[in-house]
Amino acid sequence: MSEHTHRPVPVLEAVAGIVPPRVVSNEDLPAHWDTNDVWVRRRTGIGTRHWVDEGTSTGDLALAAAQAVLAKNPAGDVDAVLVATSTPDHPMPGMAPVLATRLGLGGVAAFDVSAVCTGFVYGLATASGMIAAGIARRVLLVAADVYSTLISPDDRGAGVVFGDGAGAVVLRAGESGEAGEVLGFDLGSDGAGHDLITVPGGGARGRAEPGRYGPADGHFHMSGREVFQHAVTRMTESSLAALKNVGWTTSEVDRVVAHQANARILSLVGQRLSISDEKVLGNISRVGNTGAASIPLALADAVARDEIHAGEKVLLTAFGGGFTWGSATLVWPEVA
């Protein structure tokens, strides 16, 4: 490629978030879980979460989030649709082609990203790469999960943590130096921890080994105590790597938005990065852990509450099943 060849850069254009209307407070949790508001808040920092009602799927939330973000930017055609989720409506086909058709965008490139709670960051990297490579000019990225449909009715540990939701962003091809420019990433994985966050049954392994999995293996399983330290360590290390990639120090970061896994995890990551609590944005107390949707939901919430402003240096970081982890840096744009 000639040194004079123009290379487009990915620019964040809009963000939106959607949660289902049903609010579940700590007092509303199932009585047989034998819990209370003080216990849940102390362990997780969560006071309420939103769960879908019967008849609402991940795809329905994804559609609502997509419509909301596209309404903010009616001009310009979307030529690629990505969906990050680990609770798809069906094992196949992917959700993105169906979403594109429901939006009236049939014919565009569309595919899913599967990286569990790191899905949004992986999707952001993928969308950014498509723009930088000239494959797409404007990309719709939706992250959506309905973990309430995966949690066992008897699993108090996971049940108190997870909520449902969807978040969406639009990225466009722009110029270097623009506000909203997505600057860089750090991505990683470690499959040795695959069984610590998992839905064991329902896949090809179960069909290959009949009798290996029972009905309970169709539910979400997480080894919370072991995952906790992995999440803190990996998000901290990944954040530092992402900052190094763009030449930022932690003191230069204006806002951190991490995957809303647990309030104690968020606090520890901030401490290890030497970033003050007021710079660490989040909404876990109101929506819980919404999986891949958590970062775009938190960003949309920060915009609505006027907690994030154009020109600020923003760090995103996440950790999820797989294990997967990733971080991104960008300069925040002027968004509605």
Side-chain angles (χ1 to χ4, degrees):
M1 178 179 290
S2 167
E3 62 181 1
H4 302 294
T5 301
H6 176 74
R7 182 185 295 273
V9 301
V11 173
L12 180 71
E13 189 173 55
V15 60
I18 293 291
V19 290
R22 179 187 171 197
V23 179
V24 181
S25 71
N26 292 336
E27 290 84 356
D28 297 328
L29 295 170
H32 71 272
W33 284 358
D34 189 25
T35 188
N36 58 65
D37 183 66
V38 172
W39 185 87
V40 175
R41 288 181 185 272
R42 185 175 66 247
R43 291 175 61 90
T44 68
I46 298 168
T48 59
R49 74 284 291 148
H50 294 251
W51 287 351
V52 294
D53 289 315
E54 186 175 348
T56 300
S57 73
T58 302
D60 297 326
L61 291 188
L63 176 64
Q67 291 172 330
V69 79
L70 293 176
K72 295 174 181 287
N73 279 268
D77 294 330
V78 168
D79 44 17
V81 175
L82 279 60
V83 175
T85 186
S86 51
T87 61
D89 284 1
H90 306 284
M92 71 171 69
M95 288 181 54
V98 177
L99 175 62
T101 295
R102 293 178 77 180
L103 290 168
L105 301 172
V108 303
F111 58 94
D112 291 2
V113 177
S114 180
V116 196
C117 294
T118 320
F120 177 76
V121 176
Y122 268 64
L124 195 66
T126 303
S128 296
M130 293 177 72
I131 289 172
I135 297 171
R137 295 287 299 173
R138 181 174 269 105
V139 180
L140 169 65
L141 168 61
V142 182
D145 274 312
V146 289
Y147 273 92
S148 68
T149 64
L150 276 184
I151 303 298
S152 166
D154 298 319
D155 188 352
R156 179 183 70 170
V160 302
V161 172
F162 286 93
D164 303 333
V169 298
V170 174
L171 297 178
R172 63 170 173 80
E175 302 290 335
S176 180
E178 276 193 70
E181 180 181 359
V182 182
L183 297 169
F185 295 90
D186 173 76
L187 304 175
S189 73
D190 180 6
H194 75 278
D195 58 341
L196 298 181
I197 303 175
T198 182
V199 178
R205 175 60 61 192
R207 292 187 289 276
E209 302 179 37
R212 176 172 179 174
Y213 299 114
D217 292 312
H219 292 298
F220 176 85
H221 293 256
M222 180 171 68
S223 301
R225 290 184 180 181
E226 293 176 84
V227 167
F228 187 101
Q229 191 56 55
H230 281 287
V232 172
T233 300
R234 295 302 191 180
M235 283 198 285
T236 301
E237 293 176 347
S238 180
S239 293
L240 292 172
L243 294 176
K244 183 178 180 181
N245 287 342
V246 293
W248 292 357
T249 64
T250 56
S251 63
E252 292 178 278
V253 174
D254 297 303
R255 295 287 183 261
V256 177
V257 180
H259 165 52
Q260 305 291 291
N262 179 299
R264 292 186 295 157
I265 290 175
L266 301 179
S267 178
L268 282 172
V269 170
Q271 290 175 27
R272 292 194 180 186
L273 293 173
S274 298
I275 293 176
S276 59
D277 288 344
E278 61 266 20
K279 291 185 177 182
V280 181
L281 304 181
N283 57 358
I284 190 170
S285 65
R286 299 184 297 278
V287 301
N289 180 339
T290 55
S294 74
I295 288 179
L297 272 176
L299 288 171
D301 192 64
V303 171
R305 293 171 175 267
D306 195 31
E307 294 174 343
I308 191 168
H309 307 102
E312 291 183 329
K313 293 180 177 179
V314 179
L315 168 67
L316 310 178
T317 188
F319 176 86
F323 290 138
T324 59
W325 57 85
S327 301
T329 52
L330 69 152
V331 177
W332 195 251
E334 189 72 52
V335 295

